[in-house]
Amino acid sequence: ISRLSLLSENGTEYLPTEIDALQFSSPESKQMEEERQRSLENIRNLIINHINQFHKLPTTDEIHQVIGNDVLIGIPMTDAENLQYAYHIRYVSKLVVDRELNIVLPDYSNMIIPLEPQQKAVYILFLKHKDEGILLSKIAEHQAELENIYSTLMPNKNEAMVKKIAENICRPSSKNLQQNISKINATFRKAILNPEISTKFCITGQRRHPYSIHIPNVELPAFFK
């Protein structure tokens, strides 16, 4: 585990457990602690927003350039298990498809997952069937439903084009569905750095068994229900 320490004005070095154990003797101690918690929450949101915008972690050098040498931070950039600790992504966010048809994770500072229209249509289809899942070999049974979703996402597309796109995705001999699923999953894994959590947002399953999305809390617009 990487080392994190704080240097006080007189040069005393405190480790995290010692920092937590510090007790302020002044009457303002409770207020100071509340301010400290608000400050930590702001830092958390800034880091998550950075990841959401640039799709990568700020490096240790970049952090040092921003905050100087008063706080010494060490983050193991190659240790995926510790990323969830470093960035507080230790729980599964609610997923919302908002009025603008964005896929939003509100518990991760309203992170928007950037999917292309075909990918988004496929993902919403699986969201609608997340409890029972969908057999990939039976995807053609959902073609009409996929057409309705895609036409809602792309209202300017003519009916013939929407039908052609849905047919291509649902054609058994086509690899279009698998390619879309692969791109969807890659996008979530890039956006959410903790693999244990990101997998829950992915479309996953085993051969000859239904594929589904394993997130407990989903909010869809009424016209998608």
Side-chain angles (χ1 to χ4, degrees):
I1 298 175
S2 290
R3 182 171 168 271
L4 183 153
S5 62
L6 174 68
L7 297 180
S8 67
E9 292 181 359
N10 62 10
T12 304
E13 182 178 18
Y14 296 103
L15 294 176
T17 54
E18 294 170 329
I19 295 171
D20 294 338
L22 288 176
Q23 299 294 325
F24 298 101
S25 57
S26 67
E28 295 84 9
S29 61
K30 183 177 180 180
Q31 181 180 352
M32 291 177 66
E33 176 61 17
E34 290 174 350
E35 290 176 356
R36 186 178 77 88
Q37 291 298 327
R38 284 195 294 270
S39 177
L40 290 174
E41 181 65 17
N42 289 336
I43 293 170
R44 169 188 179 274
N45 290 334
L46 285 171
I47 292 174
I48 293 178
N49 286 337
H50 180 97
I51 297 171
N52 186 24
Q53 183 174 354
F54 300 105
H55 306 293
K56 65 177 181 179
L57 295 164
T59 67
T60 305
D61 288 342
E62 288 172 339
I63 294 173
H64 283 175
Q65 289 173 7
V66 172
I67 64 176
N69 296 320
D70 293 328
V71 180
L72 305 179
I73 299 178
I75 298 174
M77 296 300 174
T78 59
D79 190 344
E81 292 182 356
N82 282 335
L83 291 178
Q84 59 171 319
Y85 173 79
Y87 291 97
H88 291 240
I89 299 180
R90 294 178 287 176
Y91 53 90
V92 178
S93 173
K94 178 180 182 179
L95 185 146
V96 175
V97 178
D98 66 14
R99 293 181 179 180
E100 288 73 39
L101 305 178
N102 295 312
I103 294 176
V104 183
L105 306 181
D107 299 322
Y108 300 160
S109 296
N110 290 317
M111 178 187 291
I112 295 176
I113 303 300
L115 297 179
E116 297 295 328
Q118 285 190 41
Q119 299 164 21
K120 190 179 292 186
V122 170
Y123 194 74
I124 291 173
L125 176 66
F126 278 85
L127 283 177
K128 292 181 64 178
H129 297 275
K130 75 180 188 68
D131 292 331
E132 73 276 18
I134 296 175
L135 281 168
L136 300 191
S137 60
K138 302 287 186 181
I139 190 66
E141 297 177 1
H142 300 275
Q143 180 176 323
E145 189 176 7
L146 185 62
E147 288 179 20
N148 290 334
I149 295 171
Y150 190 75
S151 63
T152 301
L153 295 172
M154 303 293 290
N156 295 326
K157 290 278 187 182
N158 64 59
E159 185 177 344
M161 180 62 70
V162 169
K163 185 177 182 65
K164 182 178 180 180
I165 289 170
E167 284 179 347
N168 191 31
I169 293 173
C170 296
R171 186 182 304 115
S173 60
S174 171
K175 295 182 179 180
N176 193 293
L177 176 62
Q178 287 83 353
Q179 289 171 349
N180 275 293
I181 291 175
S182 178
K183 290 177 180 178
I184 289 166
N185 293 348
T187 300
F188 274 101
R189 289 181 176 124
K190 186 175 182 180
I192 304 170
L193 299 172
N194 177 2
E196 182 180 350
I197 300 299
S198 63
T199 298
K200 296 183 184 296
F201 291 92
C202 294
I203 300 172
T204 57
Q206 297 180 353
R207 188 178 180 184
R208 297 179 182 174
H209 289 81
Y211 275 56
S212 58
I213 302 167
H214 301 282
I215 48 177
N217 198 351
V218 173
E219 182 179 318
L220 296 174
F223 49 79
F224 280 149
K225 294 180 179 178

